[in-house]
Amino acid sequence: MARLSLNQRTCAEWTLREAIDGCLSAGLSSLGVWREPVAHVGLETARRWVEESGLRVSSVCRGGFLTMPEGSLRRASLDSNRAAIEETATLGAPALVLVPGGLPEGERDIDAARRRFLDGVAALVPEAQAAGVVLAIEPMHPIFAADRGVVSTLEQALDMAEQFPASAVGVVVDTFHLWWEPGVEQQIARAGDRIASYQISDWITPLPPDALLSRGMVGDGHIDFEAFTGWVARTGYAGDVEVEIFNADVWATPGAEVVATMSDRYLERVQPWLG
Amino acid sequence: MARLSLNQRTCAEWTLREAIDGCLSAGLSSLGVWREPVAHVGLETARRWVEESGLRVSSVCRGGFLTMPEGSLRRASLDSNRAAIEETATLGAPALVLVPGGLPEGERDIDAARRRFLDGVAALVPEAQAAGVVLAIEPMHPIFAADRGVVSTLEQALDMAEQFPASAVGVVVDTFHLWWEPGVEQQIARAGDRIASYQISDWITPLPPDALLSRGMVGDGHIDFEAFTGWVARTGYAGDVEVEIFNADVWATPGAEVVATMSDRYLERVQPWLG
């Protein structure tokens, strides 16, 4: 389980301290952190805890939300992203995950929103390079295109990322978001060293009523993790494999039990194909 | 409203007779029919009612569901499609809508399912040509990729359709399914005379709890109907514009009221851009 990482939102009830201890107890060596629980204890405390734990921080969630037009909201979002870049560097994580953001209130031009997101990424590249942090664009399932993430395919994310150095802008490859994409195998190959994070959760049916909480435990749904993981491995990806599951049933389960189940599933369905 | 068509599922409580009368009362000139309500009164009665009404039948829903492997289920599905082609021809409709079908139980290879759907289309082409019916492949929003429609983009549907004569295989352009697709404007232009049906409904947020019933009334959501309709019109598309809404609130509203609202929205948001 040397490459298995717990994304904090999978055990949403856990504080940062509990998440660190939970990873250590379960024999994991990596943790994907969210900014809010880090802020709750303070960045310096979080940094010290992580260092003392010996865990890697596989990624920081999340920056992005850069689809709005010029104005105070956009300036505030850019400032928040700059702070997030610093936090990512301080915690020693390789990548800051960028959730693109949805359509601004009342706007229906998705291409314009996509262009503004890309402009926002461009504005952050110098800071990311200075800090040694990769901005990881997360293409999101089209179920979220209106209200959360206007970048809808890995192909589109790569069209954006390739406008910048690979040391500054990469992509998140998340099975839940991308499993359906026509030609995704070729896009993963194209991504190569742009893959800044590999995240896994399953697409389950019937889809749970709250679209935001519709991700399933690896192995409970329709995704071919063996094939997907093999495609990622063939790029030479050597990073962590983060389990990120937003699901009310998972959140109602004790964290240690969730981590045990995800570890079993990882060993069955993912690890053997990591090469 | 010379090109506005009511898809029967928008007023799901109406029988075929009520749908015909509802269209006539509201001044519509076209109806998209479903096979089940046609079968309920018998094909010959349905044909006569339609003929006497003077309405066009804009499309027949639905064929397809061809993702399963060889065996009795697949043979039954092909037979059902053959019957649907005959019904489409008898009713004088230009197109039979093909819903691709989802992943067979326990299967996780979506590319294999896509190939089997395409093989099924190929098997039906001779009958479609003989009957003068276009098989209209419906690319479906990826929210349905697992359980209903493995063809996920207009680009992918066109890659399939272009393997056959345009007189035999076309595509459905449905705003709900395609509004988010990167490059959809270019794909619509590419589609040209392959567009066998233009269907409209909106993407609303928050998404209703039942994904199958998540479509909204035109104008209630995030889709740019003006732009989308303009792209379709620029291909020279001269067919009907079908309103297809699966939504529990719409179904709970009296049919005449639904038709009045959809007519108003069509005149405001769609008709002026039809060229």
Side-chain angles (χ1 to χ4, degrees), chain A residues 71-87:
Chain A
S72 59
L73 276 177
R74 185 173 180 86
R75 286 192 298 275
S77 183
L78 284 165
D79 286 345
S80 174
N81 276 277
R82 290 182 183 109
I85 290 168
E86 285 310 308
E87 292 160 26

PDB file of all heavy atoms in Angstrom, chain A residues 71-87:
ATOM      1  N   GLY A  71     -13.685  41.465 -11.499  1.00  0.00           N
ATOM      2  CA  GLY A  71     -14.427  42.083 -10.407  1.00  0.00           C
ATOM      3  C   GLY A  71     -13.906  41.584  -9.078  1.00  0.00           C
ATOM      4  O   GLY A  71     -12.911  40.849  -9.018  1.00  0.00           O
ATOM      5  N   SER A  72     -14.564  41.979  -8.020  1.00  0.00           N
ATOM      6  CA  SER A  72     -14.038  41.685  -6.683  1.00  0.00           C
ATOM      7  C   SER A  72     -14.074  40.187  -6.387  1.00  0.00           C
ATOM      8  O   SER A  72     -13.171  39.655  -5.734  1.00  0.00           O
ATOM      9  CB  SER A  72     -14.830  42.461  -5.627  1.00  0.00           C
ATOM     10  OG  SER A  72     -16.196  42.112  -5.700  1.00  0.00           O
ATOM     11  N   LEU A  73     -15.109  39.483  -6.892  1.00  0.00           N
ATOM     12  CA  LEU A  73     -15.177  38.037  -6.644  1.00  0.00           C
ATOM     13  C   LEU A  73     -13.998  37.323  -7.294  1.00  0.00           C
ATOM     14  O   LEU A  73     -13.398  36.425  -6.700  1.00  0.00           O
ATOM     15  CB  LEU A  73     -16.471  37.454  -7.212  1.00  0.00           C
ATOM     16  CG  LEU A  73     -17.713  37.552  -6.343  1.00  0.00           C
ATOM     17  CD1 LEU A  73     -18.922  36.993  -7.086  1.00  0.00           C
ATOM     18  CD2 LEU A  73     -17.503  36.805  -5.026  1.00  0.00           C
ATOM     19  N   ARG A  74     -13.653  37.774  -8.500  1.00  0.00           N
ATOM     20  CA  ARG A  74     -12.543  37.128  -9.211  1.00  0.00           C
ATOM     21  C   ARG A  74     -11.209  37.445  -8.527  1.00  0.00           C
ATOM     22  O   ARG A  74     -10.359  36.562  -8.360  1.00  0.00           O
ATOM     23  CB  ARG A  74     -12.521  37.578 -10.669  1.00  0.00           C
ATOM     24  CG  ARG A  74     -11.472  36.871 -11.505  1.00  0.00           C
ATOM     25  CD  ARG A  74     -11.614  37.227 -12.984  1.00  0.00           C
ATOM     26  NE  ARG A  74     -10.616  36.552 -13.773  1.00  0.00           N
ATOM     27  CZ  ARG A  74     -10.729  35.321 -14.265  1.00  0.00           C
ATOM     28  NH1 ARG A  74     -11.813  34.623 -14.025  1.00  0.00           N
ATOM     29  NH2 ARG A  74      -9.762  34.783 -14.973  1.00  0.00           N
ATOM     30  N   ARG A  75     -11.069  38.696  -8.103  1.00  0.00           N
ATOM     31  CA  ARG A  75      -9.813  39.050  -7.410  1.00  0.00           C
ATOM     32  C   ARG A  75      -9.679  38.244  -6.111  1.00  0.00           C
ATOM     33  O   ARG A  75      -8.591  37.765  -5.768  1.00  0.00           O
ATOM     34  CB  ARG A  75      -9.770  40.558  -7.136  1.00  0.00           C
ATOM     35  CG  ARG A  75      -9.505  41.390  -8.404  1.00  0.00           C
ATOM     36  CD  ARG A  75      -9.183  42.858  -8.079  1.00  0.00           C
ATOM     37  NE  ARG A  75     -10.268  43.558  -7.411  1.00  0.00           N
ATOM     38  CZ  ARG A  75     -11.295  44.146  -8.045  1.00  0.00           C
ATOM     39  NH1 ARG A  75     -11.384  44.109  -9.375  1.00  0.00           N
ATOM     40  NH2 ARG A  75     -12.237  44.764  -7.356  1.00  0.00           N
ATOM     41  N   ALA A  76     -10.787  38.077  -5.409  1.00  0.00           N
ATOM     42  CA  ALA A  76     -10.742  37.299  -4.161  1.00  0.00           C
ATOM     43  C   ALA A  76     -10.388  35.838  -4.449  1.00  0.00           C
ATOM     44  O   ALA A  76      -9.626  35.215  -3.688  1.00  0.00           O
ATOM     45  CB  ALA A  76     -12.091  37.387  -3.448  1.00  0.00           C
ATOM     46  N   SER A  77     -10.922  35.315  -5.557  1.00  0.00           N
ATOM     47  CA  SER A  77     -10.623  33.923  -5.884  1.00  0.00           C
ATOM     48  C   SER A  77      -9.146  33.756  -6.255  1.00  0.00           C
ATOM     49  O   SER A  77      -8.495  32.793  -5.836  1.00  0.00           O
ATOM     50  CB  SER A  77     -11.523  33.459  -7.034  1.00  0.00           C
ATOM     51  OG  SER A  77     -11.293  32.092  -7.305  1.00  0.00           O
ATOM     52  N   LEU A  78      -8.623  34.704  -7.009  1.00  0.00           N
ATOM     53  CA  LEU A  78      -7.188  34.633  -7.358  1.00  0.00           C
ATOM     54  C   LEU A  78      -6.330  34.711  -6.094  1.00  0.00           C
ATOM     55  O   LEU A  78      -5.350  33.981  -5.944  1.00  0.00           O
ATOM     56  CB  LEU A  78      -6.831  35.751  -8.343  1.00  0.00           C
ATOM     57  CG  LEU A  78      -7.301  35.489  -9.787  1.00  0.00           C
ATOM     58  CD1 LEU A  78      -7.259  36.770 -10.619  1.00  0.00           C
ATOM     59  CD2 LEU A  78      -6.452  34.393 -10.450  1.00  0.00           C
ATOM     60  N   ASP A  79      -6.694  35.607  -5.171  1.00  0.00           N
ATOM     61  CA  ASP A  79      -5.943  35.711  -3.914  1.00  0.00           C
ATOM     62  C   ASP A  79      -6.005  34.403  -3.133  1.00  0.00           C
ATOM     63  O   ASP A  79      -5.008  33.956  -2.542  1.00  0.00           O
ATOM     64  CB  ASP A  79      -6.492  36.857  -3.062  1.00  0.00           C
ATOM     65  CG  ASP A  79      -6.085  38.220  -3.618  1.00  0.00           C
ATOM     66  OD1 ASP A  79      -5.161  38.274  -4.462  1.00  0.00           O
ATOM     67  OD2 ASP A  79      -6.685  39.239  -3.205  1.00  0.00           O
ATOM     68  N   SER A  80      -7.171  33.806  -3.114  1.00  0.00           N
ATOM     69  CA  SER A  80      -7.327  32.541  -2.395  1.00  0.00           C
ATOM     70  C   SER A  80      -6.464  31.455  -3.039  1.00  0.00           C
ATOM     71  O   SER A  80      -5.843  30.637  -2.343  1.00  0.00           O
ATOM     72  CB  SER A  80      -8.806  32.138  -2.416  1.00  0.00           C
ATOM     73  OG  SER A  80      -8.963  30.855  -1.861  1.00  0.00           O
ATOM     74  N   ASN A  81      -6.387  31.469  -4.353  1.00  0.00           N
ATOM     75  CA  ASN A  81      -5.520  30.510  -5.041  1.00  0.00           C
ATOM     76  C   ASN A  81      -4.043  30.746  -4.720  1.00  0.00           C
ATOM     77  O   ASN A  81      -3.273  29.794  -4.591  1.00  0.00           O
ATOM     78  CB  ASN A  81      -5.755  30.579  -6.557  1.00  0.00           C
ATOM     79  CG  ASN A  81      -6.926  29.729  -7.012  1.00  0.00           C
ATOM     80  OD1 ASN A  81      -6.781  28.521  -7.206  1.00  0.00           O
ATOM     81  ND2 ASN A  81      -8.098  30.331  -7.148  1.00  0.00           N
ATOM     82  N   ARG A  82      -3.678  32.008  -4.609  1.00  0.00           N
ATOM     83  CA  ARG A  82      -2.269  32.299  -4.260  1.00  0.00           C
ATOM     84  C   ARG A  82      -1.944  31.766  -2.866  1.00  0.00           C
ATOM     85  O   ARG A  82      -0.883  31.183  -2.637  1.00  0.00           O
ATOM     86  CB  ARG A  82      -2.018  33.802  -4.353  1.00  0.00           C
ATOM     87  CG  ARG A  82      -2.038  34.297  -5.797  1.00  0.00           C
ATOM     88  CD  ARG A  82      -1.744  35.787  -5.943  1.00  0.00           C
ATOM     89  NE  ARG A  82      -1.862  36.163  -7.356  1.00  0.00           N
ATOM     90  CZ  ARG A  82      -2.855  36.904  -7.872  1.00  0.00           C
ATOM     91  NH1 ARG A  82      -3.811  37.414  -7.085  1.00  0.00           N
ATOM     92  NH2 ARG A  82      -2.897  37.154  -9.168  1.00  0.00           N
ATOM     93  N   ALA A  83      -2.867  31.939  -1.946  1.00  0.00           N
ATOM     94  CA  ALA A  83      -2.663  31.388  -0.597  1.00  0.00           C
ATOM     95  C   ALA A  83      -2.586  29.866  -0.657  1.00  0.00           C
ATOM     96  O   ALA A  83      -1.762  29.238   0.025  1.00  0.00           O
ATOM     97  CB  ALA A  83      -3.802  31.836   0.320  1.00  0.00           C
ATOM     98  N   ALA A  84      -3.424  29.281  -1.493  1.00  0.00           N
ATOM     99  CA  ALA A  84      -3.441  27.816  -1.609  1.00  0.00           C
ATOM    100  C   ALA A  84      -2.127  27.291  -2.178  1.00  0.00           C
ATOM    101  O   ALA A  84      -1.643  26.219  -1.780  1.00  0.00           O
ATOM    102  CB  ALA A  84      -4.612  27.377  -2.489  1.00  0.00           C
ATOM    103  N   ILE A  85      -1.539  28.034  -3.098  1.00  0.00           N
ATOM    104  CA  ILE A  85      -0.237  27.630  -3.649  1.00  0.00           C
ATOM    105  C   ILE A  85       0.814  27.605  -2.529  1.00  0.00           C
ATOM    106  O   ILE A  85       1.605  26.658  -2.409  1.00  0.00           O
ATOM    107  CB  ILE A  85       0.189  28.587  -4.792  1.00  0.00           C
ATOM    108  CG1 ILE A  85      -0.710  28.367  -6.024  1.00  0.00           C
ATOM    109  CG2 ILE A  85       1.667  28.400  -5.147  1.00  0.00           C
ATOM    110  CD1 ILE A  85      -0.572  29.442  -7.104  1.00  0.00           C
ATOM    111  N   GLU A  86       0.799  28.636  -1.697  1.00  0.00           N
ATOM    112  CA  GLU A  86       1.753  28.678  -0.579  1.00  0.00           C
ATOM    113  C   GLU A  86       1.523  27.533   0.385  1.00  0.00           C
ATOM    114  O   GLU A  86       2.476  26.903   0.868  1.00  0.00           O
ATOM    115  CB  GLU A  86       1.631  30.025   0.159  1.00  0.00           C
ATOM    116  CG  GLU A  86       2.248  31.190  -0.589  1.00  0.00           C
ATOM    117  CD  GLU A  86       3.675  30.889  -1.060  1.00  0.00           C
ATOM    118  OE1 GLU A  86       4.528  30.465  -0.250  1.00  0.00           O
ATOM    119  OE2 GLU A  86       3.911  31.053  -2.279  1.00  0.00           O
ATOM    120  N   GLU A  87       0.272  27.254   0.688  1.00  0.00           N
ATOM    121  CA  GLU A  87      -0.035  26.141   1.593  1.00  0.00           C
ATOM    122  C   GLU A  87       0.452  24.808   1.006  1.00  0.00           C
ATOM    123  O   GLU A  87       0.988  23.962   1.728  1.00  0.00           O
ATOM    124  CB  GLU A  87      -1.543  26.074   1.861  1.00  0.00           C
ATOM    125  CG  GLU A  87      -2.049  27.258   2.685  1.00  0.00           C
ATOM    126  CD  GLU A  87      -3.548  27.470   2.561  1.00  0.00           C
ATOM    127  OE1 GLU A  87      -4.276  26.493   2.283  1.00  0.00           O
ATOM    128  OE2 GLU A  87      -3.993  28.630   2.711  1.00  0.00           O
TER     129      GLU A  87
END
